[in-house]
Amino acid sequence: MSTEVGIDLVQVSRVEASLARFGERFLRRVFTDTEIAYATSTPARAAERLAARFAAKEAAFKALDLADHVGIGWRQIEVQREQSGKCRLILHGAARAAADAAGVAELSVSLTHEGDYSAAVVLAVRPDRQRAQETTDR
């Protein structure tokens, strides 16, 4: 197996500024309904939660090497919070297709907050194609 990693850091106050300036337009362009519902369920923590999810989306783009893929939008990468509190990434549409084409077998995400910053790390696990090919060639 091979693992690709993506990491991103987002300033919470910048997300607050985007919310103040663009409001609903910003929310609907970047976040899914599920992400918005979770983040806004505690208004005092909404910007922090949105910043962490934005960081996770950026980190996923890096781990999945999606920068050059056309047609993949922010809402195609979704952070869902499980009952346990653990977060997981769900890919939709073109993001899911690109990950499948790249042979991604598993995604993991970790979010954190401290002061005015939120961060995320994403791991994308793929079967080691070179080793699989060497085994096939024998």
mmCIF file of all heavy atoms in Angstrom, residues 27-72:
data_model
loop_
_atom_site.group_PDB
_atom_site.id
_atom_site.type_symbol
_atom_site.label_atom_id
_atom_site.label_comp_id
_atom_site.label_asym_id
_atom_site.label_seq_id
_atom_site.Cartn_x
_atom_site.Cartn_y
_atom_site.Cartn_z
ATOM 1 N N LEU A 27 -21.739 29.878 1.960
ATOM 2 C CA LEU A 27 -22.075 28.578 2.529
ATOM 3 C C LEU A 27 -22.466 27.577 1.457
ATOM 4 O O LEU A 27 -21.953 26.451 1.418
ATOM 5 C CB LEU A 27 -23.228 28.707 3.533
ATOM 6 C CG LEU A 27 -22.902 29.286 4.894
ATOM 7 C CD1 LEU A 27 -24.182 29.465 5.701
ATOM 8 C CD2 LEU A 27 -21.910 28.421 5.639
ATOM 9 N N ARG A 28 -23.383 27.964 0.579
ATOM 10 C CA ARG A 28 -23.922 27.045 -0.437
ATOM 11 C C ARG A 28 -22.922 26.718 -1.536
ATOM 12 O O ARG A 28 -23.034 25.664 -2.178
ATOM 13 C CB ARG A 28 -25.199 27.626 -1.058
ATOM 14 C CG ARG A 28 -26.316 27.814 -0.062
ATOM 15 C CD ARG A 28 -26.867 26.504 0.392
ATOM 16 N NE ARG A 28 -27.749 26.700 1.540
ATOM 17 C CZ ARG A 28 -28.113 25.734 2.342
ATOM 18 N NH1 ARG A 28 -27.707 24.510 2.142
ATOM 19 N NH2 ARG A 28 -28.899 25.975 3.358
ATOM 20 N N ARG A 29 -21.938 27.576 -1.736
ATOM 21 C CA ARG A 29 -20.923 27.312 -2.760
ATOM 22 C C ARG A 29 -19.890 26.296 -2.282
ATOM 23 O O ARG A 29 -19.371 25.503 -3.065
ATOM 24 C CB ARG A 29 -20.211 28.615 -3.137
ATOM 25 C CG ARG A 29 -19.145 28.426 -4.185
ATOM 26 C CD ARG A 29 -18.582 29.764 -4.638
ATOM 27 N NE ARG A 29 -17.508 29.539 -5.560
ATOM 28 C CZ ARG A 29 -16.246 29.811 -5.307
ATOM 29 N NH1 ARG A 29 -15.885 30.360 -4.164
ATOM 30 N NH2 ARG A 29 -15.316 29.576 -6.194
ATOM 31 N N VAL A 30 -19.606 26.307 -0.982
ATOM 32 C CA VAL A 30 -18.497 25.512 -0.453
ATOM 33 C C VAL A 30 -18.940 24.272 0.319
ATOM 34 O O VAL A 30 -18.288 23.233 0.244
ATOM 35 C CB VAL A 30 -17.595 26.396 0.445
ATOM 36 C CG1 VAL A 30 -16.456 25.590 1.053
ATOM 37 C CG2 VAL A 30 -17.050 27.585 -0.343
ATOM 38 N N PHE A 31 -20.042 24.354 1.052
ATOM 39 C CA PHE A 31 -20.411 23.307 1.992
ATOM 40 C C PHE A 31 -21.715 22.608 1.609
ATOM 41 O O PHE A 31 -22.606 23.217 1.032
ATOM 42 C CB PHE A 31 -20.536 23.895 3.403
ATOM 43 C CG PHE A 31 -19.279 24.576 3.861
ATOM 44 C CD1 PHE A 31 -19.163 25.959 3.814
ATOM 45 C CD2 PHE A 31 -18.195 23.832 4.308
ATOM 46 C CE1 PHE A 31 -17.995 26.597 4.219
ATOM 47 C CE2 PHE A 31 -17.023 24.463 4.706
ATOM 48 C CZ PHE A 31 -16.925 25.845 4.667
ATOM 49 N N THR A 32 -21.815 21.340 1.984
ATOM 50 C CA THR A 32 -23.041 20.575 1.745
ATOM 51 C C THR A 32 -24.074 20.934 2.824
ATOM 52 O O THR A 32 -23.733 21.512 3.863
ATOM 53 C CB THR A 32 -22.781 19.060 1.803
ATOM 54 O OG1 THR A 32 -22.409 18.698 3.134
ATOM 55 C CG2 THR A 32 -21.701 18.636 0.812
ATOM 56 N N ASP A 33 -25.309 20.551 2.591
ATOM 57 C CA ASP A 33 -26.365 20.801 3.574
ATOM 58 C C ASP A 33 -26.038 20.167 4.923
ATOM 59 O O ASP A 33 -26.284 20.758 5.972
ATOM 60 C CB ASP A 33 -27.707 20.274 3.062
ATOM 61 C CG ASP A 33 -28.229 21.047 1.862
ATOM 62 O OD1 ASP A 33 -27.769 22.186 1.627
ATOM 63 O OD2 ASP A 33 -29.099 20.513 1.158
ATOM 64 N N THR A 34 -25.475 18.967 4.888
ATOM 65 C CA THR A 34 -25.114 18.265 6.120
ATOM 66 C C THR A 34 -24.029 19.019 6.880
ATOM 67 O O THR A 34 -24.105 19.159 8.106
ATOM 68 C CB THR A 34 -24.640 16.832 5.798
ATOM 69 O OG1 THR A 34 -25.678 16.144 5.106
ATOM 70 C CG2 THR A 34 -24.271 16.069 7.060
ATOM 71 N N GLU A 35 -23.032 19.508 6.172
ATOM 72 C CA GLU A 35 -21.957 20.269 6.816
ATOM 73 C C GLU A 35 -22.487 21.566 7.423
ATOM 74 O O GLU A 35 -22.130 21.930 8.549
ATOM 75 C CB GLU A 35 -20.848 20.582 5.803
ATOM 76 C CG GLU A 35 -20.071 19.360 5.377
ATOM 77 C CD GLU A 35 -19.135 19.617 4.216
ATOM 78 O OE1 GLU A 35 -19.507 20.376 3.282
ATOM 79 O OE2 GLU A 35 -18.032 19.061 4.231
ATOM 80 N N ILE A 36 -23.342 22.245 6.686
ATOM 81 C CA ILE A 36 -23.930 23.504 7.174
ATOM 82 C C ILE A 36 -24.777 23.252 8.415
ATOM 83 O O ILE A 36 -24.674 23.979 9.411
ATOM 84 C CB ILE A 36 -24.752 24.194 6.064
ATOM 85 C CG1 ILE A 36 -23.827 24.645 4.933
ATOM 86 C CG2 ILE A 36 -25.536 25.381 6.628
ATOM 87 C CD1 ILE A 36 -24.554 25.041 3.659
ATOM 88 N N ALA A 37 -25.587 22.203 8.381
ATOM 89 C CA ALA A 37 -26.453 21.884 9.521
ATOM 90 C C ALA A 37 -25.622 21.598 10.770
ATOM 91 O O ALA A 37 -25.935 22.097 11.862
ATOM 92 C CB ALA A 37 -27.351 20.699 9.186
ATOM 93 N N TYR A 38 -24.565 20.806 10.625
ATOM 94 C CA TYR A 38 -23.732 20.497 11.781
ATOM 95 C C TYR A 38 -23.036 21.760 12.299
ATOM 96 O O TYR A 38 -23.072 22.049 13.497
ATOM 97 C CB TYR A 38 -22.692 19.421 11.460
ATOM 98 C CG TYR A 38 -21.716 19.259 12.595
ATOM 99 C CD1 TYR A 38 -22.129 18.679 13.797
ATOM 100 C CD2 TYR A 38 -20.423 19.734 12.503
ATOM 101 C CE1 TYR A 38 -21.262 18.566 14.871
ATOM 102 C CE2 TYR A 38 -19.546 19.634 13.567
ATOM 103 C CZ TYR A 38 -19.966 19.047 14.746
ATOM 104 O OH TYR A 38 -19.100 18.955 15.815
ATOM 105 N N ALA A 39 -22.421 22.511 11.413
ATOM 106 C CA ALA A 39 -21.652 23.686 11.827
ATOM 107 C C ALA A 39 -22.519 24.729 12.512
ATOM 108 O O ALA A 39 -22.114 25.333 13.505
ATOM 109 C CB ALA A 39 -20.940 24.297 10.626
ATOM 110 N N THR A 40 -23.716 24.928 11.996
ATOM 111 C CA THR A 40 -24.582 25.984 12.533
ATOM 112 C C THR A 40 -25.444 25.515 13.705
ATOM 113 O O THR A 40 -26.165 26.314 14.286
ATOM 114 C CB THR A 40 -25.470 26.583 11.428
ATOM 115 O OG1 THR A 40 -26.276 25.550 10.851
ATOM 116 C CG2 THR A 40 -24.621 27.250 10.348
ATOM 117 N N SER A 41 -25.347 24.233 14.060
ATOM 118 C CA SER A 41 -26.118 23.733 15.200
ATOM 119 C C SER A 41 -25.644 24.358 16.517
ATOM 120 O O SER A 41 -26.387 24.377 17.491
ATOM 121 C CB SER A 41 -26.054 22.203 15.273
ATOM 122 O OG SER A 41 -24.741 21.774 15.598
ATOM 123 N N THR A 42 -24.419 24.842 16.536
ATOM 124 C CA THR A 42 -23.874 25.590 17.671
ATOM 125 C C THR A 42 -23.313 26.889 17.090
ATOM 126 O O THR A 42 -22.152 26.936 16.676
ATOM 127 C CB THR A 42 -22.761 24.791 18.389
ATOM 128 O OG1 THR A 42 -23.268 23.509 18.738
ATOM 129 C CG2 THR A 42 -22.276 25.516 19.637
ATOM 130 N N PRO A 43 -24.139 27.939 17.011
ATOM 131 C CA PRO A 43 -23.731 29.171 16.331
ATOM 132 C C PRO A 43 -22.386 29.747 16.787
ATOM 133 O O PRO A 43 -21.623 30.248 15.966
ATOM 134 C CB PRO A 43 -24.877 30.140 16.634
ATOM 135 C CG PRO A 43 -26.066 29.237 16.801
ATOM 136 C CD PRO A 43 -25.523 28.015 17.485
ATOM 137 N N ALA A 44 -22.074 29.626 18.060
ATOM 138 C CA ALA A 44 -20.814 30.175 18.557
ATOM 139 C C ALA A 44 -19.592 29.452 17.984
ATOM 140 O O ALA A 44 -18.496 30.016 17.959
ATOM 141 C CB ALA A 44 -20.775 30.109 20.080
ATOM 142 N N ARG A 45 -19.776 28.228 17.501
ATOM 143 C CA ARG A 45 -18.661 27.452 16.949
ATOM 144 C C ARG A 45 -18.757 27.262 15.440
ATOM 145 O O ARG A 45 -17.952 26.549 14.846
ATOM 146 C CB ARG A 45 -18.595 26.092 17.639
ATOM 147 C CG ARG A 45 -18.319 26.246 19.149
ATOM 148 C CD ARG A 45 -17.953 24.975 19.821
ATOM 149 N NE ARG A 45 -16.739 24.426 19.242
ATOM 150 C CZ ARG A 45 -16.405 23.137 19.340
ATOM 151 N NH1 ARG A 45 -17.184 22.299 19.975
ATOM 152 N NH2 ARG A 45 -15.298 22.696 18.796
ATOM 153 N N ALA A 46 -19.726 27.897 14.800
ATOM 154 C CA ALA A 46 -19.970 27.683 13.373
ATOM 155 C C ALA A 46 -18.746 27.991 12.517
ATOM 156 O O ALA A 46 -18.358 27.182 11.670
ATOM 157 C CB ALA A 46 -21.168 28.497 12.905
ATOM 158 N N ALA A 47 -18.124 29.146 12.712
ATOM 159 C CA ALA A 47 -16.977 29.514 11.876
ATOM 160 C C ALA A 47 -15.812 28.550 12.072
ATOM 161 O O ALA A 47 -15.144 28.169 11.107
ATOM 162 C CB ALA A 47 -16.544 30.945 12.170
ATOM 163 N N GLU A 48 -15.582 28.137 13.311
ATOM 164 C CA GLU A 48 -14.511 27.176 13.601
ATOM 165 C C GLU A 48 -14.779 25.849 12.901
ATOM 166 O O GLU A 48 -13.887 25.257 12.286
ATOM 167 C CB GLU A 48 -14.438 26.976 15.115
ATOM 168 C CG GLU A 48 -13.467 25.932 15.572
ATOM 169 C CD GLU A 48 -13.544 25.733 17.073
ATOM 170 O OE1 GLU A 48 -12.855 26.472 17.796
ATOM 171 O OE2 GLU A 48 -14.314 24.849 17.525
ATOM 172 N N ARG A 49 -16.011 25.372 12.986
ATOM 173 C CA ARG A 49 -16.363 24.103 12.352
ATOM 174 C C ARG A 49 -16.291 24.190 10.828
ATOM 175 O O ARG A 49 -15.837 23.255 10.166
ATOM 176 C CB ARG A 49 -17.758 23.677 12.788
ATOM 177 C CG ARG A 49 -17.808 23.246 14.244
ATOM 178 C CD ARG A 49 -19.209 22.991 14.705
ATOM 179 N NE ARG A 49 -19.221 22.390 16.039
ATOM 180 C CZ ARG A 49 -20.318 22.067 16.679
ATOM 181 N NH1 ARG A 49 -21.512 22.281 16.135
ATOM 182 N NH2 ARG A 49 -20.240 21.531 17.881
ATOM 183 N N LEU A 50 -16.723 25.305 10.279
ATOM 184 C CA LEU A 50 -16.634 25.497 8.826
ATOM 185 C C LEU A 50 -15.184 25.609 8.379
ATOM 186 O O LEU A 50 -14.807 25.069 7.329
ATOM 187 C CB LEU A 50 -17.437 26.726 8.404
ATOM 188 C CG LEU A 50 -18.957 26.598 8.567
ATOM 189 C CD1 LEU A 50 -19.617 27.964 8.381
ATOM 190 C CD2 LEU A 50 -19.538 25.568 7.603
ATOM 191 N N ALA A 51 -14.365 26.288 9.160
ATOM 192 C CA ALA A 51 -12.940 26.418 8.817
ATOM 193 C C ALA A 51 -12.272 25.049 8.782
ATOM 194 O O ALA A 51 -11.473 24.752 7.876
ATOM 195 C CB ALA A 51 -12.239 27.339 9.813
ATOM 196 N N ALA A 52 -12.588 24.195 9.749
ATOM 197 C CA ALA A 52 -12.009 22.850 9.774
ATOM 198 C C ALA A 52 -12.454 22.047 8.555
ATOM 199 O O ALA A 52 -11.655 21.325 7.947
ATOM 200 C CB ALA A 52 -12.407 22.128 11.055
ATOM 201 N N ARG A 53 -13.701 22.192 8.170
ATOM 202 C CA ARG A 53 -14.199 21.475 6.997
ATOM 203 C C ARG A 53 -13.589 22.013 5.710
ATOM 204 O O ARG A 53 -13.285 21.262 4.796
ATOM 205 C CB ARG A 53 -15.733 21.501 6.975
ATOM 206 C CG ARG A 53 -16.282 20.445 7.898
ATOM 207 C CD ARG A 53 -17.562 20.771 8.594
ATOM 208 N NE ARG A 53 -17.889 19.668 9.499
ATOM 209 C CZ ARG A 53 -17.308 19.469 10.699
ATOM 210 N NH1 ARG A 53 -16.393 20.316 11.137
ATOM 211 N NH2 ARG A 53 -17.632 18.442 11.450
ATOM 212 N N PHE A 54 -13.386 23.315 5.654
ATOM 213 C CA PHE A 54 -12.706 23.895 4.491
ATOM 214 C C PHE A 54 -11.278 23.356 4.410
ATOM 215 O O PHE A 54 -10.808 22.978 3.332
ATOM 216 C CB PHE A 54 -12.706 25.422 4.578
ATOM 217 C CG PHE A 54 -12.257 26.092 3.316
ATOM 218 C CD1 PHE A 54 -13.174 26.412 2.336
ATOM 219 C CD2 PHE A 54 -10.923 26.396 3.101
ATOM 220 C CE1 PHE A 54 -12.768 27.022 1.156
ATOM 221 C CE2 PHE A 54 -10.505 27.005 1.934
ATOM 222 C CZ PHE A 54 -11.430 27.322 0.956
ATOM 223 N N ALA A 55 -10.591 23.301 5.549
ATOM 224 C CA ALA A 55 -9.230 22.753 5.578
ATOM 225 C C ALA A 55 -9.229 21.296 5.122
ATOM 226 O O ALA A 55 -8.326 20.868 4.380
ATOM 227 C CB ALA A 55 -8.642 22.879 6.981
ATOM 228 N N ALA A 56 -10.235 20.527 5.528
ATOM 229 C CA ALA A 56 -10.311 19.121 5.125
ATOM 230 C C ALA A 56 -10.501 18.985 3.617
ATOM 231 O O ALA A 56 -9.915 18.101 2.984
ATOM 232 C CB ALA A 56 -11.452 18.418 5.862
ATOM 233 N N LYS A 57 -11.301 19.855 3.040
ATOM 234 C CA LYS A 57 -11.513 19.825 1.590
ATOM 235 C C LYS A 57 -10.209 20.134 0.859
ATOM 236 O O LYS A 57 -9.844 19.452 -0.108
ATOM 237 C CB LYS A 57 -12.611 20.809 1.188
ATOM 238 C CG LYS A 57 -14.004 20.396 1.685
ATOM 239 C CD LYS A 57 -15.009 21.521 1.548
ATOM 240 C CE LYS A 57 -16.326 21.204 2.209
ATOM 241 N NZ LYS A 57 -17.248 20.470 1.353
ATOM 242 N N GLU A 58 -9.495 21.153 1.317
ATOM 243 C CA GLU A 58 -8.195 21.499 0.719
ATOM 244 C C GLU A 58 -7.199 20.349 0.876
ATOM 245 O O GLU A 58 -6.473 20.015 -0.061
ATOM 246 C CB GLU A 58 -7.634 22.765 1.371
ATOM 247 C CG GLU A 58 -8.290 24.043 0.926
ATOM 248 C CD GLU A 58 -7.773 24.558 -0.405
ATOM 249 O OE1 GLU A 58 -6.931 23.904 -1.046
ATOM 250 O OE2 GLU A 58 -8.224 25.633 -0.812
ATOM 251 N N ALA A 59 -7.150 19.767 2.068
ATOM 252 C CA ALA A 59 -6.237 18.652 2.311
ATOM 253 C C ALA A 59 -6.586 17.450 1.432
ATOM 254 O O ALA A 59 -5.693 16.757 0.937
ATOM 255 C CB ALA A 59 -6.263 18.276 3.793
ATOM 256 N N ALA A 60 -7.870 17.215 1.217
ATOM 257 C CA ALA A 60 -8.296 16.114 0.348
ATOM 258 C C ALA A 60 -7.863 16.360 -1.093
ATOM 259 O O ALA A 60 -7.392 15.437 -1.770
ATOM 260 C CB ALA A 60 -9.807 15.930 0.427
ATOM 261 N N PHE A 61 -8.003 17.597 -1.565
ATOM 262 C CA PHE A 61 -7.528 17.922 -2.915
ATOM 263 C C PHE A 61 -6.050 17.574 -3.053
ATOM 264 O O PHE A 61 -5.615 17.052 -4.080
ATOM 265 C CB PHE A 61 -7.746 19.412 -3.235
ATOM 266 C CG PHE A 61 -9.048 19.714 -3.905
ATOM 267 C CD1 PHE A 61 -10.148 20.111 -3.165
ATOM 268 C CD2 PHE A 61 -9.182 19.618 -5.280
ATOM 269 C CE1 PHE A 61 -11.360 20.402 -3.781
ATOM 270 C CE2 PHE A 61 -10.382 19.895 -5.916
ATOM 271 C CZ PHE A 61 -11.480 20.291 -5.160
ATOM 272 N N LYS A 62 -5.269 17.861 -2.017
ATOM 273 C CA LYS A 62 -3.832 17.573 -2.043
ATOM 274 C C LYS A 62 -3.554 16.070 -1.982
ATOM 275 O O LYS A 62 -2.758 15.547 -2.771
ATOM 276 C CB LYS A 62 -3.134 18.294 -0.886
ATOM 277 C CG LYS A 62 -3.186 19.805 -1.023
ATOM 278 C CD LYS A 62 -2.703 20.493 0.242
ATOM 279 C CE LYS A 62 -2.866 22.002 0.137
ATOM 280 N NZ LYS A 62 -2.498 22.681 1.396
ATOM 281 N N ALA A 63 -4.179 15.379 -1.043
ATOM 282 C CA ALA A 63 -3.932 13.940 -0.875
ATOM 283 C C ALA A 63 -4.372 13.144 -2.097
ATOM 284 O O ALA A 63 -3.747 12.146 -2.449
ATOM 285 C CB ALA A 63 -4.644 13.426 0.371
ATOM 286 N N LEU A 64 -5.443 13.592 -2.741
ATOM 287 C CA LEU A 64 -5.967 12.902 -3.917
ATOM 288 C C LEU A 64 -5.376 13.419 -5.225
ATOM 289 O O LEU A 64 -5.715 12.927 -6.293
ATOM 290 C CB LEU A 64 -7.492 13.016 -3.949
ATOM 291 C CG LEU A 64 -8.221 12.330 -2.804
ATOM 292 C CD1 LEU A 64 -9.683 12.758 -2.765
ATOM 293 C CD2 LEU A 64 -8.094 10.820 -2.922
ATOM 294 N N ASP A 65 -4.533 14.435 -5.128
ATOM 295 C CA ASP A 65 -3.899 15.047 -6.298
ATOM 296 C C ASP A 65 -4.946 15.489 -7.322
ATOM 297 O O ASP A 65 -4.889 15.161 -8.495
ATOM 298 C CB ASP A 65 -2.900 14.080 -6.929
ATOM 299 C CG ASP A 65 -1.949 14.771 -7.901
ATOM 300 O OD1 ASP A 65 -1.757 16.002 -7.789
ATOM 301 O OD2 ASP A 65 -1.402 14.075 -8.783
ATOM 302 N N LEU A 66 -5.920 16.262 -6.844
ATOM 303 C CA LEU A 66 -7.040 16.693 -7.680
ATOM 304 C C LEU A 66 -6.883 18.096 -8.259
ATOM 305 O O LEU A 66 -7.788 18.576 -8.935
ATOM 306 C CB LEU A 66 -8.346 16.642 -6.876
ATOM 307 C CG LEU A 66 -8.777 15.272 -6.380
ATOM 308 C CD1 LEU A 66 -10.050 15.385 -5.548
ATOM 309 C CD2 LEU A 66 -8.978 14.307 -7.539
ATOM 310 N N ALA A 67 -5.770 18.744 -8.010
ATOM 311 C CA ALA A 67 -5.600 20.137 -8.426
ATOM 312 C C ALA A 67 -5.839 20.345 -9.918
ATOM 313 O O ALA A 67 -6.394 21.367 -10.321
ATOM 314 C CB ALA A 67 -4.212 20.635 -8.043
ATOM 315 N N ASP A 68 -5.442 19.392 -10.740
ATOM 316 C CA ASP A 68 -5.568 19.558 -12.191
ATOM 317 C C ASP A 68 -6.840 18.939 -12.765
ATOM 318 O O ASP A 68 -7.060 18.982 -13.967
ATOM 319 C CB ASP A 68 -4.348 18.957 -12.895
ATOM 320 C CG ASP A 68 -3.079 19.721 -12.564
ATOM 321 O OD1 ASP A 68 -3.152 20.940 -12.307
ATOM 322 O OD2 ASP A 68 -1.995 19.096 -12.563
ATOM 323 N N HIS A 69 -7.691 18.368 -11.925
ATOM 324 C CA HIS A 69 -8.936 17.776 -12.401
ATOM 325 C C HIS A 69 -9.991 18.861 -12.574
ATOM 326 O O HIS A 69 -10.300 19.585 -11.644
ATOM 327 C CB HIS A 69 -9.442 16.703 -11.432
ATOM 328 C CG HIS A 69 -8.671 15.434 -11.504
ATOM 329 N ND1 HIS A 69 -7.433 15.287 -10.950
ATOM 330 C CD2 HIS A 69 -8.979 14.247 -12.081
ATOM 331 C CE1 HIS A 69 -6.996 14.062 -11.169
ATOM 332 N NE2 HIS A 69 -7.910 13.415 -11.855
ATOM 333 N N VAL A 70 -10.545 18.936 -13.742
ATOM 334 C CA VAL A 70 -11.579 19.919 -14.041
ATOM 335 C C VAL A 70 -12.932 19.380 -13.588
ATOM 336 O O VAL A 70 -13.213 18.192 -13.706
ATOM 337 C CB VAL A 70 -11.602 20.219 -15.560
ATOM 338 C CG1 VAL A 70 -12.710 21.184 -15.910
ATOM 339 C CG2 VAL A 70 -10.255 20.748 -16.011
ATOM 340 N N GLY A 71 -13.756 20.259 -13.063
ATOM 341 C CA GLY A 71 -15.123 19.885 -12.729
ATOM 342 C C GLY A 71 -15.332 19.342 -11.334
ATOM 343 O O GLY A 71 -16.414 18.844 -11.023
ATOM 344 N N ILE A 72 -14.326 19.409 -10.477
ATOM 345 C CA ILE A 72 -14.500 18.946 -9.103
ATOM 346 C C ILE A 72 -14.718 20.165 -8.216
ATOM 347 O O ILE A 72 -13.858 21.031 -8.098
ATOM 348 C CB ILE A 72 -13.297 18.122 -8.619
ATOM 349 C CG1 ILE A 72 -13.165 16.870 -9.491
ATOM 350 C CG2 ILE A 72 -13.460 17.759 -7.139
ATOM 351 C CD1 ILE A 72 -11.977 16.012 -9.181
#
